[in-house]
Amino acid sequence: MPSIPPVANLLAFEAVARRRSFALAAAELHLTASAVSHQISRLESHLGVRLFERSAHGVRLSAAGEGYLTRVGGALSALSAATDDLQQGVSNSLYLHSAPSIASLWLMPRLADFARAHPDISLNLSAAHTPSDFALGQADIDIRYGVPQWPDLEVEALFEERILPLASPAFVQQNRLRRVPDLLSVPLIQSTVSVVQWADWFAAHSDRRAPDRYGLRFDRAQMALDAATQGLGVALESATIANQHLAERKLIPVFGMDRAIRVKAHFAVYPARHARRPPVAAFLQWVKGQAGRDAPAAPDAA
């Protein structure tokens, strides 16, 4: 096994990468800027690659540095969390990672129920598009979005979702959206990371082609839904994720719930060995129960 660089070098690297400044990193680590620079030089020499590009305008990560930070940052966070738990006497901790939109729109409103059911479990939640690295101990469970291509891991679909056009009631009324071709005369909002794109929806529900360009494009469902509630266009999103928007009638299905594409796109992912830990088993049982509950019927278009 290749030797692991000194932790001091790694801490200096992470601080400089995060602060984009040797001086700010030095102040945070209670070192001189020169000492931090030496730490980085030793790390680069150890690895045989340049981690930063230095210029008169400051410092930025090299391509190699970006990739290294993704792995090292998670490992250092895991070490820090484990140390905090040990020092605070926490022995029943659960580290959950999630895709951002389901974390904020579906999971967060339900966590109070989990806390009431399991007051002895200390839950730590992080959210990012980048999946957690189980090999680095970054998470016990990862709720991932996309096409399941994760070999050697347990993968459980949480629910079946209906992906359909959603817009504010005022937007639907003002633009007289009654037929599918009417969509071609209004702004359509694109979710760039969605497993179902407008081209897929038009192919399933119309003989018209989806537009080639979109005025608004987002990489998170939450932002696409927020834009639709503000009357900026029609979003193609999950009725499950948008459940609260639908319940409050901030959004409505443009053509009713029958014009949806059904998919399974959110998954609980974890190494099989993790399921033996009581907090992991408890969360999996709980989240399956939440996902299995019948969602309130979404309102039809006005």
Side-chain angles (χ1 to χ4, degrees):
M1 177 182 293
S3 61
I4 298 174
V7 173
N9 293 178
L10 296 175
L11 290 173
F13 164 69
E14 189 277 336
V16 174
R18 177 165 38 83
R19 304 301 295 270
R20 294 296 194 269
S21 165
F22 280 90
L24 292 176
E28 179 180 312
L29 297 172
H30 304 290
L31 299 171
T32 65
S34 176
V36 170
S37 180
H38 285 306
Q39 297 274 20
I40 298 301
S41 295
R42 283 194 286 270
L43 180 59
E44 290 178 327
S45 176
H46 179 94
L47 298 173
V49 297
R50 182 171 292 279
L51 298 172
F52 293 98
E53 302 294 342
R54 301 161 177 82
S55 70
H57 303 290
V59 61
R60 63 183 180 85
L61 284 164
S62 65
E66 290 279 4
Y68 196 53
L69 177 65
T70 300
R71 306 292 297 275
V72 168
L76 290 175
S77 295
L79 285 170
S80 177
T83 302
D84 288 343
D85 283 352
L86 182 64
Q87 291 177 332
Q88 296 172 22
V90 177
S91 59
N92 216 23
S93 60
L94 176 69
Y95 291 89
L96 175 65
H97 185 272
S98 175
S101 292
I102 191 175
S104 58
L105 297 176
W106 188 85
L107 189 59
M108 285 296 294
R110 292 166 169 80
L111 283 184
D113 181 84
F114 179 78
R116 285 191 295 269
H118 302 282
D120 58 321
I121 296 178
S122 174
L123 177 64
N124 302 267
L125 173 63
S126 62
H129 283 307
T130 306
S132 61
D133 191 333
F134 290 113
L136 296 177
Q138 294 176 348
D140 295 308
I141 306 170
D142 198 353
I143 297 180
R144 297 183 181 178
Y145 177 79
V147 178
Q149 297 176 336
W150 307 298
D152 303 322
L153 294 172
E154 299 296 312
V155 179
E156 300 186 40
L158 291 180
F159 36 60
E160 182 179 73
E161 300 173 68
R162 292 169 292 181
I163 312 298
L164 70 168
L166 303 172
S168 70
F171 188 90
V172 172
Q173 184 176 15
Q174 290 167 4
N175 291 279
R176 300 180 179 179
L177 299 179
R178 298 186 178 90
R179 301 179 301 116
V180 172
D182 296 338
L183 289 178
L184 298 176
S185 62
V186 299
L188 299 183
I189 300 168
Q190 184 185 25
S191 289
T192 58
V193 298
S194 177
V195 298
V196 178
Q197 293 292 315
W198 277 110
D200 303 314
W201 189 87
F202 271 90
H205 296 289
S206 172
D207 57 359
R208 303 293 186 94
R209 291 183 57 186
D212 295 324
R213 300 182 64 184
Y214 301 92
L216 290 171
R217 305 171 70 229
F218 299 103
D219 67 353
R220 297 193 181 186
Q222 182 169 8
M223 291 191 290
L225 292 170
D226 287 345
T229 62
Q230 294 172 30
L232 300 180
V234 180
L236 184 67
E237 288 295 347
S238 163
T240 302
I241 301 303
N243 183 64
Q244 192 63 33
H245 297 74
L246 294 168
E248 296 173 358
R249 288 191 66 79
K250 293 180 180 179
L251 295 175
I252 59 173
V254 177
F255 304 113
M257 296 300 293
D258 60 333
R259 293 293 184 93
I261 293 179
R262 295 176 179 267
V263 298
K264 292 181 179 178
H266 284 96
F267 303 87
V269 181
Y270 56 93
R273 66 183 184 277
H274 284 195
R276 294 194 293 268
R277 291 192 61 225
V280 173
F283 180 83
L284 289 173
Q285 181 180 23
W286 174 83
V287 77
K288 290 174 195 175
Q290 292 291 318
R293 289 183 179 178
D294 291 332
D300 288 330

